[in-house]
Amino acid sequence: MYPFWEVPFFTSGMVIALIATFHILPCHLATGAFWFIVYVERKAYKEKRPELLEFVKKYTLLILIFCFVIGSLSGVGIWYAATVASPRGISGLIHNYVWGWATEWVFFIIEIASIYVYYYTLGKIDPKSHLMMGWLYAWAAWISMIIITGILAFMLTSGKWVESGGFFDGFFNQTYWPQLLTRTAFMFCIAGVYAAIVASTLTKKKVRKELVRTAGLWGVLGMVAGVVFAYWYLHKLPAHAKELWIDQSLPYLAHLLKIAIIAYAIVMAWFVICCLVKPKLAGPITGIVILFVLFMGIGAGEGFREGVRRPYIIDQYMYGNQIVARDIPAKHIKAEVPIFEKDGFLTHLYFKPDKIDPKNSRDLLKAGELIVHHQCGNCHALDRFGKIRPLSKLLENLAPESPEDIEGFLEALGDYPFMPPFAGNDLDKKAASEYLFSITRR
Ligand code: HEC
């Protein structure tokens, strides 16, 4: 175990979630955008309408700024945040998918190089070569999505990997294809929405109307396909995820996210339909509102994906608190709960003050604090004023009258479908209970 990163009020997981939301919108836009751009550019050459190229230039510049500044910065941010929040989770992924990422980065470099060449050579080289550059970008970007979706899907459903340890067994798992197709459909929809916003700022009225309409059509088709694939995706979720979210063992959160996703989808559908039938309605102000909706909708959707993964951070393999959940013989990985039960959790915690010894009653609370930080802190806010599932408040609801009551709760922790079992020996359990009792609001 590595040192624990405590984020006051929030949890470290929420920091990743926040950065990720900023990342995912530019990412999906960057992957979908060039299919639309290449389509418009081809049309401009084929129908000999150079005025369409004004749009091509504007749209590409937006992608360059929005995706390659915000998208790149937030992408690096996710790596930093995830590395400190969940070093073992990241390590688990890297040990299996380092070549996946390396491949993705090759395509990412192609993306970066080709968009700059594309932007700066528009109108300066022959149309055929310029279009080739656009196609190169469009394919490279989509291939990077093909690869990264495999790693995201692996975290959600690790498939046959748990038995074989094989790269592709984890990659092409049960949620891979539905997730890839859902993302692909929504990437076309997002590209359409952005296109409508950019097109609405064009000066020539006829071109503006025509492009907003085409963008609306892309939006509608992407949306319809996205909803169909999303339904398939939900259907493919593992039983424990369905139990958790669909059969509502987490009623409050699940409802909130579901309502949010549906509400955002309705607003988006309204916008793309408007673009199609009444292109006049699309303008910069509606554009900004829609961007906000898109942002929130993506946040809710990804929140759902992260939520259904509980209690794991990597399905079947690693719990949200970074403890290995089961043997993976093919990878020589051993389940850690039995090990910690036998040796005690603190024995395996290398980054702890030397002096702390739970056997010494003066250290009991300190030892308990360390254990609780490590075993609960990835999902629960630990401070009194914490906002994300604050431990002291949740415990208060259970009205424990003594540390022994909390010990009983810890023993049954693994019975909750969304929480990992407590991993430690009797002394650890006692220390954790004493500490938890001491922070419970009474
Ligand atoms: C993988 C994430 C995760 C970990 C790790 C985790 N929990 Fe939870 N816990 C949850 C979720 C999700 C809920 C449901 C909260 C809600 O309803 O909003 C929850 C609920 C609770 C509740 C309320 C239970 C009830 O019946 O009302 C308590 C108390 C609690 N956790 C204590 C702990 C303690 C103590 C630890 C560490 C030993 C821990 N949790 C570790 C995710 C986690």
Side-chain angles (χ1 to χ4, degrees), residues 13 70 116 120 154 158 175 186 190 205 208 219 223 225 233 254 262 290 301 306 315 357 369 407 427:
I70 298 184
Y116 279 99
Y120 287 105
F154 168 71
S158 50
T175 55
F186 281 117
I190 292 171
K205 199 170 157 210
R208 185 168 69 215
M223 185 103 194
Y233 182 13
I262 293 171
I290 287 302
E306 298 273 320
D315 180 49
D357 175 12
E369 184 177 3
E407 254 186 270
L427 195 55

PDB file of all heavy atoms in Angstrom, residues 13 70 116 120 154 158 175 186 190 205 208 219 223 225 233 254 262 290 301 306 315 357 369 407 427:
ATOM      1  N   GLY A  13     -11.409  10.534  -5.186  1.00  0.00           N
ATOM      2  CA  GLY A  13     -12.136  10.037  -6.360  1.00  0.00           C
ATOM      3  C   GLY A  13     -12.883  11.156  -7.061  1.00  0.00           C
ATOM      4  O   GLY A  13     -12.957  11.196  -8.292  1.00  0.00           O
ATOM      5  N   ILE A  70      -7.499  22.355 -23.544  1.00  0.00           N
ATOM      6  CA  ILE A  70      -8.211  21.829 -22.360  1.00  0.00           C
ATOM      7  C   ILE A  70      -8.102  20.301 -22.310  1.00  0.00           C
ATOM      8  O   ILE A  70      -7.818  19.716 -21.274  1.00  0.00           O
ATOM      9  CB  ILE A  70      -9.699  22.242 -22.403  1.00  0.00           C
ATOM     10  CG1 ILE A  70      -9.789  23.758 -22.356  1.00  0.00           C
ATOM     11  CG2 ILE A  70     -10.457  21.628 -21.222  1.00  0.00           C
ATOM     12  CD1 ILE A  70     -11.180  24.295 -22.303  1.00  0.00           C
ATOM     13  N   TYR A 116      -2.401  20.022 -36.869  1.00  0.00           N
ATOM     14  CA  TYR A 116      -1.642  21.252 -37.136  1.00  0.00           C
ATOM     15  C   TYR A 116      -1.378  21.404 -38.628  1.00  0.00           C
ATOM     16  O   TYR A 116      -1.572  22.478 -39.197  1.00  0.00           O
ATOM     17  CB  TYR A 116      -0.326  21.266 -36.342  1.00  0.00           C
ATOM     18  CG  TYR A 116      -0.544  21.704 -34.907  1.00  0.00           C
ATOM     19  CD1 TYR A 116      -0.647  20.779 -33.881  1.00  0.00           C
ATOM     20  CD2 TYR A 116      -0.687  23.053 -34.600  1.00  0.00           C
ATOM     21  CE1 TYR A 116      -0.887  21.183 -32.573  1.00  0.00           C
ATOM     22  CE2 TYR A 116      -0.923  23.468 -33.291  1.00  0.00           C
ATOM     23  CZ  TYR A 116      -1.019  22.532 -32.280  1.00  0.00           C
ATOM     24  OH  TYR A 116      -1.266  22.934 -30.999  1.00  0.00           O
ATOM     25  N   TYR A 120      -2.911  24.579 -40.816  1.00  0.00           N
ATOM     26  CA  TYR A 120      -2.030  25.587 -41.414  1.00  0.00           C
ATOM     27  C   TYR A 120      -1.838  25.429 -42.924  1.00  0.00           C
ATOM     28  O   TYR A 120      -1.263  26.294 -43.555  1.00  0.00           O
ATOM     29  CB  TYR A 120      -0.687  25.625 -40.679  1.00  0.00           C
ATOM     30  CG  TYR A 120      -0.839  26.280 -39.322  1.00  0.00           C
ATOM     31  CD1 TYR A 120      -0.849  25.528 -38.150  1.00  0.00           C
ATOM     32  CD2 TYR A 120      -1.026  27.658 -39.225  1.00  0.00           C
ATOM     33  CE1 TYR A 120      -1.031  26.138 -36.910  1.00  0.00           C
ATOM     34  CE2 TYR A 120      -1.215  28.273 -37.994  1.00  0.00           C
ATOM     35  CZ  TYR A 120      -1.216  27.504 -36.839  1.00  0.00           C
ATOM     36  OH  TYR A 120      -1.409  28.107 -35.630  1.00  0.00           O
ATOM     37  N   PHE A 154     -12.380  -2.742 -19.525  1.00  0.00           N
ATOM     38  CA  PHE A 154     -11.715  -3.724 -18.654  1.00  0.00           C
ATOM     39  C   PHE A 154     -11.948  -3.374 -17.178  1.00  0.00           C
ATOM     40  O   PHE A 154     -12.181  -4.233 -16.341  1.00  0.00           O
ATOM     41  CB  PHE A 154     -10.219  -3.746 -18.965  1.00  0.00           C
ATOM     42  CG  PHE A 154      -9.380  -4.501 -17.962  1.00  0.00           C
ATOM     43  CD1 PHE A 154      -9.458  -5.883 -17.892  1.00  0.00           C
ATOM     44  CD2 PHE A 154      -8.525  -3.835 -17.099  1.00  0.00           C
ATOM     45  CE1 PHE A 154      -8.681  -6.585 -16.967  1.00  0.00           C
ATOM     46  CE2 PHE A 154      -7.749  -4.522 -16.181  1.00  0.00           C
ATOM     47  CZ  PHE A 154      -7.824  -5.902 -16.111  1.00  0.00           C
ATOM     48  N   SER A 158     -14.068  -7.180 -16.275  1.00  0.00           N
ATOM     49  CA  SER A 158     -12.735  -7.674 -16.651  1.00  0.00           C
ATOM     50  C   SER A 158     -12.781  -8.983 -17.448  1.00  0.00           C
ATOM     51  O   SER A 158     -11.756  -9.505 -17.859  1.00  0.00           O
ATOM     52  CB  SER A 158     -11.857  -7.815 -15.410  1.00  0.00           C
ATOM     53  OG  SER A 158     -12.542  -8.530 -14.414  1.00  0.00           O
ATOM     54  N   THR A 175     -18.639  -5.687 -22.130  1.00  0.00           N
ATOM     55  CA  THR A 175     -19.163  -4.328 -22.352  1.00  0.00           C
ATOM     56  C   THR A 175     -18.355  -3.556 -23.397  1.00  0.00           C
ATOM     57  O   THR A 175     -18.630  -2.390 -23.651  1.00  0.00           O
ATOM     58  CB  THR A 175     -19.187  -3.505 -21.035  1.00  0.00           C
ATOM     59  OG1 THR A 175     -17.876  -3.498 -20.470  1.00  0.00           O
ATOM     60  CG2 THR A 175     -20.190  -4.047 -20.047  1.00  0.00           C
ATOM     61  N   PHE A 186     -22.325   8.790 -29.890  1.00  0.00           N
ATOM     62  CA  PHE A 186     -22.383  10.099 -29.242  1.00  0.00           C
ATOM     63  C   PHE A 186     -21.279  11.041 -29.741  1.00  0.00           C
ATOM     64  O   PHE A 186     -21.444  12.249 -29.734  1.00  0.00           O
ATOM     65  CB  PHE A 186     -22.368   9.967 -27.718  1.00  0.00           C
ATOM     66  CG  PHE A 186     -23.728   9.594 -27.182  1.00  0.00           C
ATOM     67  CD1 PHE A 186     -23.939   8.398 -26.512  1.00  0.00           C
ATOM     68  CD2 PHE A 186     -24.816  10.431 -27.385  1.00  0.00           C
ATOM     69  CE1 PHE A 186     -25.204   8.046 -26.047  1.00  0.00           C
ATOM     70  CE2 PHE A 186     -26.078  10.092 -26.920  1.00  0.00           C
ATOM     71  CZ  PHE A 186     -26.276   8.902 -26.249  1.00  0.00           C
ATOM     72  N   ILE A 190     -22.040  14.726 -30.739  1.00  0.00           N
ATOM     73  CA  ILE A 190     -21.322  15.881 -30.182  1.00  0.00           C
ATOM     74  C   ILE A 190     -20.684  16.705 -31.296  1.00  0.00           C
ATOM     75  O   ILE A 190     -20.726  17.942 -31.292  1.00  0.00           O
ATOM     76  CB  ILE A 190     -20.260  15.408 -29.159  1.00  0.00           C
ATOM     77  CG1 ILE A 190     -20.964  14.828 -27.930  1.00  0.00           C
ATOM     78  CG2 ILE A 190     -19.336  16.541 -28.750  1.00  0.00           C
ATOM     79  CD1 ILE A 190     -20.039  14.134 -26.946  1.00  0.00           C
ATOM     80  N   LYS A 205     -25.794  33.887 -44.747  1.00  0.00           N
ATOM     81  CA  LYS A 205     -27.012  33.312 -44.182  1.00  0.00           C
ATOM     82  C   LYS A 205     -27.333  31.925 -44.757  1.00  0.00           C
ATOM     83  O   LYS A 205     -27.701  30.993 -44.029  1.00  0.00           O
ATOM     84  CB  LYS A 205     -28.167  34.280 -44.449  1.00  0.00           C
ATOM     85  CG  LYS A 205     -29.341  34.026 -43.547  1.00  0.00           C
ATOM     86  CD  LYS A 205     -30.358  35.137 -43.660  1.00  0.00           C
ATOM     87  CE  LYS A 205     -31.702  34.591 -43.216  1.00  0.00           C
ATOM     88  NZ  LYS A 205     -32.818  35.218 -43.854  1.00  0.00           N
ATOM     89  N   ARG A 208     -25.021  29.351 -43.507  1.00  0.00           N
ATOM     90  CA  ARG A 208     -25.274  29.139 -42.091  1.00  0.00           C
ATOM     91  C   ARG A 208     -26.441  28.166 -41.899  1.00  0.00           C
ATOM     92  O   ARG A 208     -26.351  27.176 -41.188  1.00  0.00           O
ATOM     93  CB  ARG A 208     -25.597  30.498 -41.443  1.00  0.00           C
ATOM     94  CG  ARG A 208     -25.758  30.425 -39.947  1.00  0.00           C
ATOM     95  CD  ARG A 208     -25.783  31.804 -39.356  1.00  0.00           C
ATOM     96  NE  ARG A 208     -26.991  32.522 -39.713  1.00  0.00           N
ATOM     97  CZ  ARG A 208     -27.058  33.839 -39.938  1.00  0.00           C
ATOM     98  NH1 ARG A 208     -25.980  34.579 -39.848  1.00  0.00           N
ATOM     99  NH2 ARG A 208     -28.198  34.407 -40.260  1.00  0.00           N
ATOM    100  N   GLY A 219     -26.555  15.312 -35.463  1.00  0.00           N
ATOM    101  CA  GLY A 219     -26.902  15.248 -34.040  1.00  0.00           C
ATOM    102  C   GLY A 219     -28.027  14.255 -33.790  1.00  0.00           C
ATOM    103  O   GLY A 219     -27.947  13.409 -32.902  1.00  0.00           O
ATOM    104  N   MET A 223     -27.663  10.743 -31.886  1.00  0.00           N
ATOM    105  CA  MET A 223     -28.418  10.605 -30.641  1.00  0.00           C
ATOM    106  C   MET A 223     -29.262   9.324 -30.657  1.00  0.00           C
ATOM    107  O   MET A 223     -29.252   8.557 -29.690  1.00  0.00           O
ATOM    108  CB  MET A 223     -29.330  11.829 -30.530  1.00  0.00           C
ATOM    109  CG  MET A 223     -30.073  11.921 -29.275  1.00  0.00           C
ATOM    110  SD  MET A 223     -29.257  13.154 -28.263  1.00  0.00           S
ATOM    111  CE  MET A 223     -30.015  12.793 -26.734  1.00  0.00           C
ATOM    112  N   ALA A 225     -28.894   6.628 -32.516  1.00  0.00           N
ATOM    113  CA  ALA A 225     -28.024   5.440 -32.463  1.00  0.00           C
ATOM    114  C   ALA A 225     -27.442   5.292 -31.059  1.00  0.00           C
ATOM    115  O   ALA A 225     -27.381   4.188 -30.499  1.00  0.00           O
ATOM    116  CB  ALA A 225     -26.910   5.568 -33.496  1.00  0.00           C
ATOM    117  N   TYR A 233     -25.784  -1.511 -23.951  1.00  0.00           N
ATOM    118  CA  TYR A 233     -24.709  -1.389 -22.965  1.00  0.00           C
ATOM    119  C   TYR A 233     -25.245  -1.697 -21.556  1.00  0.00           C
ATOM    120  O   TYR A 233     -24.681  -2.518 -20.811  1.00  0.00           O
ATOM    121  CB  TYR A 233     -24.187   0.049 -23.080  1.00  0.00           C
ATOM    122  CG  TYR A 233     -23.034   0.497 -22.239  1.00  0.00           C
ATOM    123  CD1 TYR A 233     -22.238  -0.380 -21.535  1.00  0.00           C
ATOM    124  CD2 TYR A 233     -22.736   1.866 -22.171  1.00  0.00           C
ATOM    125  CE1 TYR A 233     -21.177   0.097 -20.780  1.00  0.00           C
ATOM    126  CE2 TYR A 233     -21.674   2.335 -21.419  1.00  0.00           C
ATOM    127  CZ  TYR A 233     -20.908   1.446 -20.720  1.00  0.00           C
ATOM    128  OH  TYR A 233     -19.866   1.926 -19.978  1.00  0.00           O
ATOM    129  N   ALA A 254     -28.695   6.564  -7.507  1.00  0.00           N
ATOM    130  CA  ALA A 254     -29.042   5.990  -8.802  1.00  0.00           C
ATOM    131  C   ALA A 254     -30.148   6.802  -9.453  1.00  0.00           C
ATOM    132  O   ALA A 254     -30.073   7.134 -10.633  1.00  0.00           O
ATOM    133  CB  ALA A 254     -29.489   4.546  -8.615  1.00  0.00           C
ATOM    134  N   ILE A 262     -31.347  11.420 -18.184  1.00  0.00           N
ATOM    135  CA  ILE A 262     -32.528  11.515 -19.053  1.00  0.00           C
ATOM    136  C   ILE A 262     -32.851  12.986 -19.362  1.00  0.00           C
ATOM    137  O   ILE A 262     -33.106  13.359 -20.506  1.00  0.00           O
ATOM    138  CB  ILE A 262     -33.737  10.799 -18.403  1.00  0.00           C
ATOM    139  CG1 ILE A 262     -33.436   9.289 -18.355  1.00  0.00           C
ATOM    140  CG2 ILE A 262     -35.021  11.048 -19.197  1.00  0.00           C
ATOM    141  CD1 ILE A 262     -34.425   8.478 -17.555  1.00  0.00           C
ATOM    142  N   ILE A 290     -26.143  24.878 -24.387  1.00  0.00           N
ATOM    143  CA  ILE A 290     -26.066  23.471 -24.777  1.00  0.00           C
ATOM    144  C   ILE A 290     -24.714  22.860 -24.390  1.00  0.00           C
ATOM    145  O   ILE A 290     -24.634  21.707 -23.977  1.00  0.00           O
ATOM    146  CB  ILE A 290     -26.323  23.338 -26.297  1.00  0.00           C
ATOM    147  CG1 ILE A 290     -27.804  23.576 -26.566  1.00  0.00           C
ATOM    148  CG2 ILE A 290     -25.905  21.994 -26.837  1.00  0.00           C
ATOM    149  CD1 ILE A 290     -28.737  22.627 -25.835  1.00  0.00           C
ATOM    150  N   GLY A 301     -23.166  10.694 -17.087  1.00  0.00           N
ATOM    151  CA  GLY A 301     -22.985   9.394 -17.757  1.00  0.00           C
ATOM    152  C   GLY A 301     -21.734   8.680 -17.274  1.00  0.00           C
ATOM    153  O   GLY A 301     -21.753   7.485 -16.962  1.00  0.00           O
ATOM    154  N   GLU A 306     -18.705   4.892 -13.518  1.00  0.00           N
ATOM    155  CA  GLU A 306     -17.843   4.683 -12.354  1.00  0.00           C
ATOM    156  C   GLU A 306     -18.650   4.048 -11.213  1.00  0.00           C
ATOM    157  O   GLU A 306     -18.138   3.214 -10.481  1.00  0.00           O
ATOM    158  CB  GLU A 306     -17.284   6.027 -11.864  1.00  0.00           C
ATOM    159  CG  GLU A 306     -16.419   6.738 -12.885  1.00  0.00           C
ATOM    160  CD  GLU A 306     -14.975   6.298 -12.828  1.00  0.00           C
ATOM    161  OE1 GLU A 306     -14.474   6.106 -11.717  1.00  0.00           O
ATOM    162  OE2 GLU A 306     -14.366   6.123 -13.898  1.00  0.00           O
ATOM    163  N   ASP A 315     -12.789  -4.307 -12.072  1.00  0.00           N
ATOM    164  CA  ASP A 315     -13.779  -5.362 -11.847  1.00  0.00           C
ATOM    165  C   ASP A 315     -13.167  -6.700 -11.416  1.00  0.00           C
ATOM    166  O   ASP A 315     -12.260  -7.201 -12.077  1.00  0.00           O
ATOM    167  CB  ASP A 315     -14.572  -5.538 -13.155  1.00  0.00           C
ATOM    168  CG  ASP A 315     -15.633  -6.606 -13.035  1.00  0.00           C
ATOM    169  OD1 ASP A 315     -16.392  -6.567 -12.065  1.00  0.00           O
ATOM    170  OD2 ASP A 315     -15.673  -7.489 -13.929  1.00  0.00           O
ATOM    171  N   ASP A 357       1.877   1.326  17.105  1.00  0.00           N
ATOM    172  CA  ASP A 357       1.731  -0.100  17.375  1.00  0.00           C
ATOM    173  C   ASP A 357       0.348  -0.314  17.991  1.00  0.00           C
ATOM    174  O   ASP A 357       0.095   0.110  19.122  1.00  0.00           O
ATOM    175  CB  ASP A 357       2.843  -0.531  18.348  1.00  0.00           C
ATOM    176  CG  ASP A 357       2.668  -1.979  18.764  1.00  0.00           C
ATOM    177  OD1 ASP A 357       1.847  -2.681  18.123  1.00  0.00           O
ATOM    178  OD2 ASP A 357       3.334  -2.388  19.731  1.00  0.00           O
ATOM    179  N   GLU A 369      -7.143   5.219  12.793  1.00  0.00           N
ATOM    180  CA  GLU A 369      -7.267   6.298  11.800  1.00  0.00           C
ATOM    181  C   GLU A 369      -6.570   5.906  10.494  1.00  0.00           C
ATOM    182  O   GLU A 369      -7.103   6.068   9.396  1.00  0.00           O
ATOM    183  CB  GLU A 369      -6.651   7.576  12.375  1.00  0.00           C
ATOM    184  CG  GLU A 369      -6.814   8.765  11.463  1.00  0.00           C
ATOM    185  CD  GLU A 369      -6.273  10.057  12.064  1.00  0.00           C
ATOM    186  OE1 GLU A 369      -5.711  10.006  13.179  1.00  0.00           O
ATOM    187  OE2 GLU A 369      -6.399  11.092  11.407  1.00  0.00           O
ATOM    188  N   GLU A 407     -17.809  -2.582  15.440  1.00  0.00           N
ATOM    189  CA  GLU A 407     -17.084  -3.813  15.069  1.00  0.00           C
ATOM    190  C   GLU A 407     -18.014  -4.782  14.357  1.00  0.00           C
ATOM    191  O   GLU A 407     -17.645  -5.394  13.352  1.00  0.00           O
ATOM    192  CB  GLU A 407     -16.517  -4.472  16.330  1.00  0.00           C
ATOM    193  CG  GLU A 407     -15.019  -4.287  16.447  1.00  0.00           C
ATOM    194  CD  GLU A 407     -14.435  -5.064  17.619  1.00  0.00           C
ATOM    195  OE1 GLU A 407     -14.384  -4.477  18.708  1.00  0.00           O
ATOM    196  OE2 GLU A 407     -14.048  -6.231  17.430  1.00  0.00           O
ATOM    197  N   LEU A 427      -7.374  -7.178  15.894  1.00  0.00           N
ATOM    198  CA  LEU A 427      -6.833  -5.957  16.487  1.00  0.00           C
ATOM    199  C   LEU A 427      -7.085  -4.753  15.564  1.00  0.00           C
ATOM    200  O   LEU A 427      -7.448  -3.668  16.026  1.00  0.00           O
ATOM    201  CB  LEU A 427      -5.320  -6.158  16.732  1.00  0.00           C
ATOM    202  CG  LEU A 427      -4.657  -5.145  17.657  1.00  0.00           C
ATOM    203  CD1 LEU A 427      -5.359  -5.077  18.998  1.00  0.00           C
ATOM    204  CD2 LEU A 427      -3.176  -5.500  17.854  1.00  0.00           C
TER     205      LEU A 427
END
